[in-house]
Amino acid sequence: MSCRSILCPSCNAQLERRRKDEIKDNEIKSDKKPIRKIPVVNIALCSGCGNCVDACPFHAIVIENSKAVIDESICKKCRKCIPACPSDAIS
């Protein structure tokens, strides 16, 4: 049986080596960031209160005809508008 452990190069702690087939799917951490989508306004639920306009740090939201409208060319997908909406019209 071969040696299955190595030492950490920075702190010399003993680490365990495992083959890929020994690693479970839930142990694999993805380096990819989750894809964030541009928030969508449900016009039927929007009250036009303007809380989302105040919450958006990029000024990507305006109120037109008493409803929130998100300018997709300005939106940076920070999604700060979602919790700011009291009527849950933004998702």
Side-chain angles (χ1 to χ4, degrees):
M1 187 160 120
S2 64
C3 179
R4 308 267 320 188
S5 63
I6 59 173
L7 297 179
C8 174
S10 58
C11 68
N12 288 330
Q14 191 169 10
L15 304 174
E16 181 182 348
R17 292 172 88 174
R18 295 188 289 173
R19 295 187 317 260
K20 286 183 181 180
D21 62 338
E22 294 177 319
I23 300 172
K24 298 175 185 165
D25 288 338
N26 62 353
E27 292 179 317
I28 298 173
K29 294 183 180 177
S30 175
D31 292 341
K32 297 179 183 177
K33 292 181 181 179
I35 297 173
R36 287 190 161 188
K37 297 179 182 176
I38 292 177
V40 177
V41 178
N42 182 335
I43 300 299
L45 295 176
C46 181
S47 64
C49 68
N51 286 359
C52 56
V53 175
D54 297 335
C56 180
F58 304 103
H59 309 291
I61 306 174
V62 294
I63 302 295
E64 292 179 0
N65 298 325
S66 300
K67 302 293 179 183
V69 177
I70 300 173
D71 185 339
E72 293 181 9
S73 66
I74 300 173
C75 180
K76 302 294 184 200
K77 304 174 191 174
C78 71
R79 303 176 70 81
K80 291 183 179 181
C81 54
I82 295 173
C85 181
S87 57
D88 294 325
I90 304 175
S91 60

